[in-house]
Amino acid sequence: MPPFDYFDVLIERLYGQMERALGDLTDDQWHYIPEGKGNSAAFIAWHYLRTEDNIVHWIIQNRRPTVWMRGGWSERLDLPPVTQGTGMTVAEAHGLRIRDTAAFLEYMRAVRAGTEEFLRGWDATDANEMIMLKPVGEMTKLQLLGRQAFPHGFGHIGEIQHLRAMMGLPGIGL
């Protein structure tokens, strides 16, 4: 089975949920931080999308520039050019602000398009090539997609759903 045929259903569901989770939020809701060490929907979405973009483009495609890099999204959104949030302090994560959420949603859609383009064209002859993903460890390219890229996103959608509930917003139909 071609990889896209397998991952297509996951991508459709993941991005449908991401659209529903973020699409109707106000600026204050994007940046709402719960008590404790939780993060905002803005940080969570940025972190996940940067992670998928890095995995699909930079890591699996052997340092192909990411959607983030090619589109100049760091400058457009005034966000860090390299990091994706892993290892940030709580204060740094809480300080992250997406000033143009409509543009960020454009980035999200561009990541989806880039992921789909890659998977549709990937012959997967290198699917069993081992990759080191810090801090997770070594795995094949196919495992990297199936264990880290898409499942990671579903976990973060759950976090955003929880934030929505804390703010009294309707669910997104998980």
Side-chain angles (χ1 to χ4, degrees), residues 113-135:
T115 295
E116 288 177 339
E117 176 187 12
F118 164 69
L119 288 172
R120 278 191 183 102
W122 188 32
D123 66 9
T125 55
D126 63 346
N128 291 319
E129 181 181 321
M130 297 302 286
I131 298 289
M132 174 56 75
L133 180 65
K134 295 176 184 176

Side-chain angles (χ1 to χ4, degrees), residues 17-29:
Q17 289 177 352
M18 195 71 83
E19 290 276 356
R20 290 190 306 277
L22 300 171
D24 66 347
L25 297 181
T26 66
D27 187 64
D28 286 342
Q29 291 165 340

Side-chain angles (χ1 to χ4, degrees), residues 6 24 28 36 40-41 44 50 53 60 66 77 84 86 93 96-97 104 107-108 110 112 122 139-141 144 162 171:
Y6 176 75
D24 66 347
D28 286 342
S40 68
I44 294 165
R50 289 282 294 117
D53 193 6
I60 291 179
T66 61
L77 297 170
Q84 64 197 44
T86 303
L96 186 125
R97 296 209 43 97
F104 181 82
Y107 168 67
M108 179 182 78
R112 176 183 180 168
W122 188 32
M139 63 189 76
T140 68
K141 288 183 176 184
L144 184 56
H162 183 70

Side-chain angles (χ1 to χ4, degrees), residues 88-103:
M88 276 185 162
T89 66
V90 171
E92 290 170 328
H94 287 183
L96 186 125
R97 296 209 43 97
I98 296 176
R99 292 186 179 93
D100 185 345
T101 56

Side-chain angles (χ1 to χ4, degrees), residues 3-24:
F4 181 74
D5 291 349
Y6 176 75
F7 289 119
D8 180 45
V9 173
L10 293 175
I11 293 167
E12 177 87 20
R13 185 162 185 180
L14 175 71
Y15 280 92
Q17 289 177 352
M18 195 71 83
E19 290 276 356
R20 290 190 306 277
L22 300 171
D24 66 347

Side-chain angles (χ1 to χ4, degrees), residues 44-123:
I44 294 165
W46 168 78
H47 161 72
Y48 171 67
L49 291 163
R50 289 282 294 117
T51 299
E52 179 183 321
D53 193 6
N54 283 336
I55 287 172
V56 169
H57 296 96
W58 191 254
I59 297 171
I60 291 179
Q61 295 183 67
N62 302 313
R63 303 208 183 287
R64 177 180 182 214
T66 61
V67 170
W68 187 255
M69 297 162 83
R70 293 190 313 263
W73 288 102
S74 173
E75 296 81 18
R76 289 172 71 180
L77 297 170
D78 193 27
L79 290 169
V82 178
T83 188
Q84 64 197 44
T86 303
M88 276 185 162
T89 66
V90 171
E92 290 170 328
H94 287 183
L96 186 125
R97 296 209 43 97
I98 296 176
R99 292 186 179 93
D100 185 345
T101 56
F104 181 82
L105 292 174
E106 286 179 44
Y107 168 67
M108 179 182 78
R109 293 174 191 122
V111 171
R112 176 183 180 168
T115 295
E116 288 177 339
E117 176 187 12
F118 164 69
L119 288 172
R120 278 191 183 102
W122 188 32
D123 66 9

